[in-house]
Amino acid sequence: MSSGKAEVSPRVEKLLASMTPAEKIGQLIQYFYFQLPESDVDSGLPERQTDLVEQALAAGRAGSLLFVTDPATSNRLQRQAVAGSAHGIPVLFGFDVIHGLRTIFPVPIALAASWNPELIEQAQTVAAREARAVGIHWAFAPMVDIARDPRWGRMIEGAGEDPFLAAAVAAAQVRGFQGSHLGADEHIIAGPKHFAGYGAAVGGRDYDEVDLSDQELWNTYLPPFQAAIDAGAGNIMSAYMDLNGVPATGNRWLLHDVLREGLGFEGFVVSDANSARDLETHHFAADLPDAGVRALNAGLDLEMTIVEPAYGHLDEALADGRVDLERIDASVRRLLAVKEALGLLDNPFVDEDAARVTLADPAHRDAAREAAEGSAVLLRNEGDLLPLAATSVQKLAVIGPLADSKRDTLGPWIFDYDLEETVTVLDGIRSHLEQPTVEVTYAAGVPAFARKYPSMFDMWGDGSRADENADAEAELANAVRTATEADVAVVVIGERQDMIGEHASRASLDLPGNQLALLQAVVATGTPTVVVLLSGRPLDLRWAQENVPAILQVWYPGTRGGEAVANLLFGQAVPGGKLPFSWPRTAGQIPMHYAHTRSHSPENQGRRYWDEESTPLYPFGHGLSYATFEYANPSVSAASVGRDESVTVGVDVTNTSGQDGVEVAQLYLHQRYGSSSRPVRLLKGFQRVPVAAGQTIRVEFTISPAERRYWSSATRDWVLDATVFDVWVGTNSEAELHTEFTVQR
Ligand code: NOJ
């Protein structure tokens, strides 16, 4: 087990000993370096933000930069850093490498929906390779925040609602980014974020406060961080919001007692952007200097900032004793050790020609296509409408505002993408159907629509714009005509890519921009209709579920998304993804997660509201295939075990169809009684098993004591109860095949 610690060498100790306090403090400051087009000078940022940074570099007062993706700029700034630092110390470049750099992979929630750690590791390996080639040393990823409220736009960056799945996804991403060890060739540091609890913002409103009980924190929100730390993550990012009334970035209990002592993290902690300065904004610190003192003393190592850093005042605080040199040294040591581990103390520059070659590697695009195929979730397939047989279709209508939009194919959190390389769903279907020749027609169906309030990413000049002058009736009529004349209609709808992500919470889950009316009009033509959904959160699909035979959730599938979707629609790829969250029927049900506890009147669980069912539209873990699977013969290795013993559960999975497929077999556990009342079921095992047509495979899961342990509010500690466990195995969180075992004292 690693703890993210870069070993501290005699070289680093020597360097540290020779540095002045001012130089040391400089190492703890990280600046954005915004290279914005001229036209964006009034975007709200300081007018000459880059000047501010370059002055800091010249003065040896910046240890790290972010938002530089161009290798030539990286080299130029690195030369300035080395020249400005009395000891020639280079900067560490960080960046939001969320789902690829040049080659864009499906968004993180999509990768999680693959339930395939190898695929996820592979995706972030490619992302790391591209990032390192251009001079990026560290990704502000993975985001491992549990999200149980889909109004919160950042759920797209995480792995959904479940701590067990999210832990597996977090560890896979860390392995992908970092490789075998901190400093591995063609790899970068992983920075799991946001510590901690950010996903539980009240009302799903981004940045708003979070109140979490200790049991929720330890049992639900911290396990993915623990998994990422155990996988060796070198960095952790603190969160923006108040956690239980104390801002996360100034919260010593959180950053020290929980993170260092509880989870065993030994790497470096960075603030979120401006979140050290925010300690003043929160009315927690008295002023900016106090914010720096409170953050450092809470355990923050590196301050990320756009403008004047709070850490810029640490010199005065050191002089008058509000902080001590030992504390500063501890942080600087961590940063220098990382720079050494990455080889930056010997050569901080990148090879600009080699970078071009790496970014153009066709293997990266293939990996992106495979990831998109592996993460799509088939929500519904009535009458086996899918896969479509290209031979029996003469005319296929592709309809919808997202069908031919490259940026919407890529999703949010993209900066250095390549639009030329991007294949939309329309492009993908067209090239797929060139042989055999099928006529593909297209209609957008609704005018371009946009957010009511702007996106913080509009400063990059490519947010969606509403088309006020469009003739909505004519667009709709054209779509209806196109659908009527076709044998099959593929309707590509969802949210535009700037409607989800940071600063993109929503009050409703409706399909925006009249897309429901479009779908209803297309279905009314009687042409068999498939919905291809682009979104990073569940949307209100109640009408579609009742009226549309096939629904394929493809998330934002990335650079080769259109090719992947065409392969899925025509059966060259078989959907195998599973939902990483419970899909609510309507926003009024939120929050909704499968792992609730039993309470009064459990038999009436589905009827808690009088106006809507209280079950999800699709359960956690749901996802169909073109194959069908049956589960049988569950067994346990022992009906009764001791508290320290493991149990093995076996089950037969049979492919009852004529089509090969891959099933994600899932195991859920329920503790019948004990120190606390425990959730009705909890995912405690999953396995992706390829099962050929007609074949039966025996799948086994091991349930160790670690999976039965939990933090109890009754004892205010970890407990491992002697009790009875129900076990269900099957295709989703509503699996009915049951067995049980007893744990003896
Ligand atoms: C703010 C976001 O919360 C964080 O996730 C991101 O890494 C930083 N900005 C840097 O862009």
Side-chain angles (χ1 to χ4, degrees), residues 32 66-67 96 140 154 193-194 237 240 272-273 304 502:
F32 277 79
L66 70 149
F67 263 72
D96 289 290
F140 306 134
R154 300 201 76 171
K193 63 191 187 185
H194 306 80
M237 184 186 289
Y240 271 132
D272 202 338
M304 181 194 293
E502 187 177 348

Side-chain angles (χ1 to χ4, degrees), residues 393-598:
V393 179
Q394 258 102 57
K395 201 174 204 182
L396 183 136
V398 178
I399 293 172
L402 304 188
D404 196 27
S405 162
K406 292 193 174 193
R407 274 189 63 83
D408 293 317
T409 306
L410 297 176
W413 283 112
I414 51 166
F415 301 96
D416 203 37
Y417 50 91
D418 186 344
L419 282 186
E420 288 287 301
E421 289 277 340
T422 304
V423 182
T424 66
V425 174
L426 178 62
D427 295 337
I429 291 178
R430 277 206 172 120
S431 39
H432 196 94
L433 293 180
E434 273 166 14
Q435 297 292 335
T437 319
V438 175
E439 191 186 343
V440 177
T441 50
Y442 165 65
V446 294
F449 53 91
R451 295 162 47 129
K452 181 170 178 188
Y453 300 110
S455 158
M456 63 187 282
F457 296 107
D458 287 351
M459 67 173 104
W460 272 266
D462 38 22
S464 60
R465 312 255 185 276
D467 184 353
E468 311 289 352
N469 302 317
D471 182 342
E473 272 179 38
E475 293 232 21
L476 185 63
N478 184 33
V480 167
R481 197 167 39 248
T482 309
T484 308
E485 289 167 359
D487 305 315
V488 176
V490 173
V491 180
V492 188
I493 48 181
E495 289 185 335
R496 305 218 81 126
Q497 60 85 235
D498 62 353
M499 295 179 160
I500 182 102
E502 187 177 348
H503 205 292
S505 294
R506 270 195 92 181
S508 98
L509 296 182
D510 297 347
L511 277 162
N514 271 341
Q515 294 179 99
L516 180 58
L518 168 67
L519 179 62
Q520 289 171 334
V522 170
V523 169
T525 65
T527 301
T529 300
V530 178
V531 164
V532 169
L533 192 68
L534 269 67
S535 80
R537 58 158 70 91
L539 297 174
D540 185 338
L541 289 188
R542 286 175 294 178
W543 190 88
Q545 169 63 19
E546 290 297 314
N547 298 285
V548 183
I551 307 174
L552 184 66
Q553 166 65 294
V554 302
W555 316 100
Y556 299 93
T559 302
R560 287 290 193 260
E563 284 175 4
V565 172
N567 285 344
L568 289 158
L569 291 176
F570 293 98
Q572 277 69 41
V574 179
K578 301 273 189 177
L579 290 177
F581 51 76
S582 307
W583 191 295
R585 295 166 192 275
T586 169
Q589 293 178 308
I590 298 168
M592 158 156 288
H593 48 270
Y594 78 93
H596 57 83
T597 52
R598 274 166 76 88

Side-chain angles (χ1 to χ4, degrees), residues 180-216:
S180 57
H181 61 281
L182 254 183
D185 264 4
E186 302 198 318
H187 284 85
I188 58 179
I189 302 168
K193 63 191 187 185
H194 306 80
F195 202 72
Y198 182 31
V202 285
R205 292 181 293 273
D206 205 5
Y207 314 135
D208 272 3
E209 79 223 51
V210 168
D211 259 282
L212 284 179
S213 67
D214 284 353
Q215 73 102 6
E216 272 196 290

Side-chain angles (χ1 to χ4, degrees), residues 88-121:
I89 303 172
V91 287
L92 190 67
F93 283 105
F95 192 61
D96 289 290
V97 187
I98 307 299
H99 53 118
L101 185 76
R102 180 64 51 84
T103 307
I104 304 298
F105 282 78
V107 289
I109 193 84
L111 293 175
S114 73
W115 294 52
N116 184 346
E118 289 81 36
L119 177 148
I120 296 166
E121 183 176 337

